[in-house]
Amino acid sequence: MVPSDKAPHLLEPVIPELYSPGRIFTWNELQGMAVDGILLPLYGKNYASPGVAITQRIRARAAALSVPARIRTKVAAGRLTAAWIYGCAKPPEKLSLLVDAKHRISSLRGTLGCSLHEVRLGQMDVVSLGGMLVSSPLRTAADIALHVEADRALPVLRRLLDRPELGIKLRLLVLAVEAAPRVPHKKRALATLAQLTPKAAPRPGSVPN
């Protein structure tokens, strides 16, 4: 499921709760409806109806529509962008996109509003959501630990770990970081994860320091 030029699983889903510039409404019209309170800004030029539950699929679709169509099947949303899609981070100022090493990242540069990161992606590293590839929850958490400063990473990692439906266990996350190829900041990442380890309860009768 790594990004490819021909990705039949990346269908263009129709999500009626999501409004984007196109055949029915222009961006100016959508902006006007947002000013009137008819729609709520979601991400980029995408809007949602008030009261609609914003799901992972809707956020992923909004991200997909913010990526130029020419590169959409060659990238995967990752890092803090993926964490936002999973509902565990703020909307990113720039989409963080992972490019598999088999693609030439130079051919994708110049994509406004996106940060590109050349990585190696395995079959289990990505999932398909809303017509876009997204790094898996475990890969997302590992990448955030490795590549995001601790003060920004810790609250996001806590939210990712606190979501049972994402299936991330701290021990597995530590193993994933330890197994990462030689990358800078691995020691710092492990120190960040150590701060997420629950402190052991004091033994009965023990005297706190």
Side-chain angles (χ1 to χ4, degrees):
M1 200 186 284
V2 295
S4 64
D5 294 321
K6 296 179 181 179
H9 56 285
L10 292 180
L11 301 177
E12 298 290 325
V14 176
I15 301 179
E17 302 91 344
L18 185 66
Y19 294 85
S20 302
R23 181 174 54 86
I24 300 177
F25 299 112
T26 66
W27 188 27
N28 287 337
E29 289 172 330
L30 293 173
Q31 288 177 302
M33 286 189 278
V35 170
D36 293 338
I38 300 172
L39 296 176
L40 296 176
L42 179 57
Y43 187 80
K45 297 181 179 181
N46 304 284
Y47 297 81
S49 301
V52 168
I54 305 302
T55 62
Q56 296 177 14
R57 184 168 175 261
I58 289 176
R59 281 188 289 266
R61 189 66 192 143
L65 291 172
S66 301
V67 175
R70 67 183 179 85
I71 72 167
R72 200 173 293 160
T73 60
K74 300 177 182 178
V75 299
R79 302 186 184 182
L80 290 175
T81 296
W84 165 67
I85 289 173
Y86 292 127
C88 297
K90 296 178 181 178
E93 292 183 8
K94 273 190 170 187
L95 293 176
S96 183
L97 302 177
L98 309 181
V99 183
D100 192 75
K102 70 181 179 181
H103 288 300
R104 294 184 61 183
I105 195 171
S106 59
S107 66
L108 307 181
R109 292 199 185 280
T111 304
L112 298 177
C114 302
S115 297
L116 299 173
H117 310 279
E118 187 172 349
V119 299
R120 293 192 178 277
L121 292 172
Q123 292 291 328
M124 303 300 293
D125 287 335
V126 291
V127 297
S128 179
L129 282 172
M132 185 168 193
L133 289 178
V134 181
S135 60
S136 69
L138 181 60
R139 175 65 188 257
T140 297
D143 282 346
I144 289 172
L146 285 164
H147 301 290
V148 178
E149 303 84 358
D151 60 337
R152 296 173 63 210
L154 279 168
V156 177
L157 290 170
R158 287 193 179 100
R159 294 187 197 105
L160 288 166
L161 288 165
D162 286 343
R163 295 285 183 91
E165 68 272 19
L166 297 180
I168 309 173
K169 302 296 183 184
L170 181 57
R171 180 56 184 158
L172 287 177
L173 178 54
V174 171
L175 290 174
V177 170
E178 289 176 339
R182 295 180 62 185
V183 293
H185 313 309
K186 184 186 289 191
K187 185 176 181 180
R188 186 202 67 188
L190 292 172
T192 297
L193 296 181
Q195 298 183 55
L196 298 171
T197 303
K199 295 182 178 179
R203 295 189 302 273
S206 63
V207 179
N209 294 327

